[in-house]
Amino acid sequence: MAEETVDSDIGDERRRVLVTTEKPYTGIAHLKHENGKAIGTGFLVKHGGRIFLVTAAHCLWDRSKGAFRAKIHISLGRDGEYHPFGTIRKKAVDFEVPREYKETRGRKSDYGIIRLDMEKHKLNKCCAFDLEPRTDEYIKSQDLYMSGYPGIPKEQKDGVPGWPTGTQWKIKLTTVTVNKQSLQYRDATTPGNSGSPVYEMKDGRYVAHGIHTNGIDENHTSNKAVRIDADALMKLVKSTSHGTRPQDSPPQQDGNAPNDNHSEPEKFSWFQYLWNMVTSLLYIPLKIVTLLSQSAAPVWKSIVAFFSA
């Protein structure tokens, strides 16, 4: 992943998602290479009676090698070191991107899918985005949001998107323009946001309209998302639907990122098991304390100022 730079000239309004176990954040995943290096973001989609993970094609296809990445680790709703739904390990046999992207690497075909199994991968507690074909005018009239996993920023301090590592950040987009192939906006994004959903909230559901693919550079004046074509995605899904494969591996419910050895289950010491249990039990209370302390901060400042006068 490249060094973090903010792709926007209108400021960075992204905010950290404090509770990733709520909708729609449970359906948004941090993607990591088997060597531990961050790749980007993905999100669950349900359509045509199927459920699968959508991301940018360049998160799956290694352009330097002209082949799929060998293995990817998927952590839905990740919040730093907390992995509420474990980690799913997937191999290249379950990845698919358009042939056009493999041949030309064109931005309009920069999308792909990872095949998942609802029961095997225990996805029933995770939010899955809906797909609904809509007109340009309809999409432009809606409040659109994006949420994903920015990479580690150059300035590593609280409040900077991407820090702590593996945290999810959201934003309400403000400058969206729409055409047949893409959604464009000048709101801030950074490397790691690739594959993030651009979506609307509708009647308690979350409908994805775009897949974030690239930021502002010498060739692009706006950040951009590929506009979702449900039929095109379903073609990719069907091309990988060959039944359960021996390469699949179930989620690791230990709450930690897996190691690089996929031939055997990861082994943990008694101390690691105890630590994982304690951190999982304390997660919600600590979040509540954090929220209360943030809301109480102005009050304490006023008290301190009064007695200091």
Side-chain angles (χ1 to χ4, degrees), residues 41-62:
T41 302
F43 59 100
L44 289 180
V45 164
K46 57 181 178 182
H47 189 74
R50 301 172 185 265
I51 189 165
F52 47 96
L53 192 103
V54 173
T55 186
H58 68 263
C59 292
L60 303 176
W61 183 259
D62 189 329

Side-chain angles (χ1 to χ4, degrees), residues 28 41 146-150 167-170 192-193 196-197:
I28 299 173
T41 302
M146 181 174 67
S147 191
Y149 289 89
T167 49
Q168 190 174 150
W169 295 72
K170 62 182 178 180
N193 273 126
S196 298

